[in-house]
């Protein structure tokens, strides 16, 4: 069985802010050609490395994960001959993805307009902090800057102090994942219409979408959502979500219904077994049937009292074993050990790379008809240059197929997380 995108070839010009886009498309079966400058992608030299090879561009852990399945070719896009070779690759490709600073493609005479004129069926996907148009199009930005500009920063931290950043860079990863989804949709359209397009993905907009219901508070609840430190709440009740434990703090998602009811029941059964449940009514409650948005402060006091009493008896590692995350502190090894133990009964959760260089997360979805690729090594610098350039000249995108009617054979799902049709 082939992957869903196995007929497609994608030229990947992305920097480390966009690597994940090509990785997701490669997981789905696409032939992703990673174009690196002489000396290799600069992102290879940033971040974390295999402890046995510190600073070695071939052993960068971020590169190893986010560039699996790809083929590497080295081209100097500032040099005319290599730029022509890039154009030859683009002429035979189905998509091209890039995350250069806005205006870089134009400076290289590789603008989306030129690429689409060369190959009208091509999908050109750009990933940038604020999009390629608008007042901030040419602003440089880090993950922290984008976090502030999308509103996420405002909601993170204690209410009486300045905002703080989230624990790890995420905004460009969200943008890259969104770019992969939008590229796949554009490929679907191009395959049926013969018409390519320029997909413009802004990390700022991707970040706004991660805030879920935060934007609607002003309209729906007539108040602004504010950062509240270790607390969360509804308009009528407030409760603690970050709680002390035996060796630090843990964060617990206190929510009912289909989303969190089963997890809450597990925690309360654990508290009952240890004799620390402080609210008999909540102790016997089926949390899957509870709408937490309608419960009063007394209810949350009982729930939080039980959880605080339970967590105080256990370490972060013990609690994390039952899928409640440590809020801060501890080593990466400590945080990963429980996940590895839980994964032991789930083949494929973590998988070794075939070349023995390490272990990476396995497939992120189980697809029966078009399974994702198993993990494979990321390429060495220029590893596939000869073979890639040798077959570039003879390849052209397949002719378009007939365009189906809109939403033909499709279902439309307008539900929110955790809800099921009955």
């Amino acid at each position: 069985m082939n992957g869903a995108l196995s007929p497609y070839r994608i030229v990947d010009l992305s920097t480390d802010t966009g690597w994940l886009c090509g990785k997701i498309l490669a997981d789905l079966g696409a032939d992703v050609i990673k174009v690196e400058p002489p000396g290799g992608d600069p992102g290879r030299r940033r971040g974390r490395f295999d402890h046995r090879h510190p600073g070695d561009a071939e052993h960068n852990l971020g590169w190893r994960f986010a560039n699996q399945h790809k083929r590497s070719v080295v081209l100097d896009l500032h040099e005319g001959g290599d730029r022509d070779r890039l154009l030859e690759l683009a002429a035979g490709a189905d998509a091209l993805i890039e995350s250069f600073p806005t205006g870089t493609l134009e400076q290289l005479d590789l603008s989306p307009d030129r690429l689409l004129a060369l190959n009208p069926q091509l999908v050109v996907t750009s990933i940038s902090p604020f999009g390629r148009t608008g007042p901030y199009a040419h602003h440089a930005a880090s993950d922290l800057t984008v976090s502030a500009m999308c509103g996420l920063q405002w909601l993170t931290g204690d209410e009486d102090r300045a905002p703080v950043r989230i624990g790890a860079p995420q905004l460009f990863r969200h943008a890259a994942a969104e770019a992969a989804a939008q590229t796949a949709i554009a490929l679907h359209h191009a395959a049926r219409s013969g018409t390519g397009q320029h997909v413009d993905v802004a990390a700022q907009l991707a970040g706004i979408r991660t805030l879920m219901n935060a934007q609607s508070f002003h309209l729906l609840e007539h108040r602004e959502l504010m950062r509240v430190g270790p607390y969360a709440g509804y308009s009528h009740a407030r409760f603690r979500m970050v709680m002390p434990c035996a060796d630090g703090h843990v964060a617990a998602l206190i929510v009912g219904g289909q989303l969190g009811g089963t997890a809450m029941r597990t925690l309360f059964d654990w508290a009952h077994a240890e004799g620390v449940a402080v609210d008999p009514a909540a102790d016997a409650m089926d949390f899957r049937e509870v709408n937490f948005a309608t419960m009063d402060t007394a209810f949350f006091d009982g729930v939080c009292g039980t959880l605080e009493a339970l967590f105080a008896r256990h370490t972060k590692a013990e609690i994390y074993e039952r899928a409640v995350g440590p809020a801060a502190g501890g080593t990466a090894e400590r945080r990963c050990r429980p996940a590895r133990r839980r994964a032991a009964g789930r083949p494929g959760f973590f998988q070794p790379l075939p070349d023995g260089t390490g272990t990476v997360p396995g497939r992120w979805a189980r697809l029966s008809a078009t399974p994702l690729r198993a993990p494979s090594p990321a390429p060495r610098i220029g590893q596939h240059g000869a073979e890639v350039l040798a077959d570039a000249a003879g390849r052209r995108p397949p002719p378009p197929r007939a365009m189906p009617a809109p939403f033909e054979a499709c279902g439309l799902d307008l539900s929110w997380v955790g809800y099921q049709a009955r």
Side-chain angles (χ1 to χ4, degrees):
M1 292 184 289
N2 294 321
L5 296 182
S6 57
Y8 295 95
R9 175 170 294 179
I10 297 170
V11 176
D12 185 354
L13 299 180
S14 67
T15 62
D16 49 358
T17 58
W19 286 348
L20 186 61
C21 175
K23 194 266 185 187
I24 293 172
L25 298 172
D27 286 343
L28 290 165
D31 175 19
V32 179
I33 298 170
K34 182 69 181 77
V35 177
E36 303 190 63
D41 191 309
R44 288 175 174 264
R45 293 172 175 80
R46 294 190 284 265
R48 297 183 177 181
F49 296 83
D50 186 320
H51 67 91
R52 298 165 294 184
H53 305 276
D56 188 334
E58 298 290 5
H59 293 278
N60 179 286
L61 298 180
W63 169 269
R64 181 184 293 173
F65 169 74
N67 290 278
Q68 296 177 62
H69 321 303
K70 300 179 186 179
R71 298 194 289 164
S72 171
V73 58
V74 171
L75 295 176
D76 184 353
L77 300 184
H78 296 278
E79 192 274 321
D82 277 1
R83 195 158 52 248
D84 289 341
R85 294 181 182 92
L86 186 281
L87 290 170
E88 193 170 48
L89 284 173
D94 301 283
L96 181 147
I97 57 181
E98 62 92 14
S99 57
F100 294 131
T102 299
T104 301
L105 287 185
E106 286 75 8
Q107 293 169 5
L108 294 170
D109 196 22
L110 296 171
S111 69
D113 287 343
R114 183 180 184 191
L115 294 171
L116 287 167
L118 173 71
N119 178 356
Q121 198 169 323
L122 185 68
V123 174
V124 180
T125 299
S126 295
I127 304 167
S128 63
F130 306 114
R132 287 175 54 93
T133 60
Y136 301 110
H138 294 276
H139 284 215
S142 66
D143 203 88
L144 182 63
T145 309
V146 176
S147 176
M149 292 291 284
C150 75
L152 177 62
Q153 202 77 15
W154 174 253
L155 299 175
T156 310
D158 291 318
E159 57 190 324
D160 59 345
R161 301 182 185 180
V164 296
R165 66 169 300 157
I166 52 178
Q170 295 183 21
L171 277 300
F172 282 103
R173 293 173 189 171
H174 282 294
E178 184 169 310
Q182 294 189 19
T183 300
I185 293 169
L187 286 170
H188 178 83
H189 177 267
R192 284 152 177 77
S193 67
T195 303
Q197 58 185 289
H198 183 202
V199 177
D200 186 5
V201 178
Q204 181 189 27
L205 182 56
I208 290 172
R209 289 175 177 150
T210 69
L211 300 182
M212 297 181 72
N213 62 337
Q215 304 97 323
S216 62
F217 265 68
H218 181 79
L219 291 175
L220 299 182
E221 298 202 18
H222 307 292
R223 66 187 178 99
E224 304 300 335
L225 188 62
M226 309 289 287
R227 58 184 177 277
V228 290
Y231 296 92
Y234 301 98
S235 57
H236 61 284
R238 175 166 155 151
F239 50 90
R240 190 177 184 95
M241 294 185 68
V242 178
M243 305 178 191
C245 66
D247 62 346
H249 291 78
V250 294
L253 178 64
I254 299 176
V255 64
Q258 296 298 320
L259 177 62
T262 300
M264 290 294 296
R265 183 71 268 153
T266 298
L267 290 173
F268 267 76
D269 287 345
W270 186 15
H272 181 77
E274 297 203 1
V276 296
V278 300
D279 185 344
D283 186 36
M285 190 171 289
D286 184 352
F287 291 105
R288 293 171 301 176
E289 302 297 329
V290 177
N291 181 359
F292 275 35
T294 65
M295 305 306 287
D296 59 19
T297 299
F299 166 81
F300 287 108
D301 288 345
V303 168
C304 292
T306 295
L307 296 181
E308 287 175 351
L310 174 65
F311 295 157
R313 299 165 60 93
H314 296 279
T315 65
K316 285 184 286 187
E318 292 169 341
I319 298 167
Y320 192 48
E321 185 80 18
R322 305 211 179 196
V324 179
T331 64
E333 180 182 6
R334 174 184 289 183
R335 289 196 297 271
C336 288
R337 268 203 307 266
R340 290 184 183 278
R341 285 197 292 270
R342 287 201 306 274
R346 297 175 57 194
F349 190 93
F350 288 105
Q351 293 187 358
L353 291 170
D355 63 355
T357 57
T359 301
V360 295
R363 296 178 175 94
W364 41 267
R366 295 181 182 180
L367 310 179
S368 56
T370 56
L372 302 181
R373 286 177 171 172
S376 67
R380 299 185 303 276
I381 298 171
Q383 179 179 350
H384 307 93
E387 65 186 62
V388 166
L389 296 176
D391 68 1
R395 188 183 190 278
R396 290 293 180 271
R401 300 184 292 276
M403 174 69 88
F407 301 111
E408 180 179 338
C410 291
L412 188 59
D413 182 358
L414 300 178
S415 64
W416 193 53
V417 291
Y419 292 92
Q420 300 175 345
R422 293 175 181 251

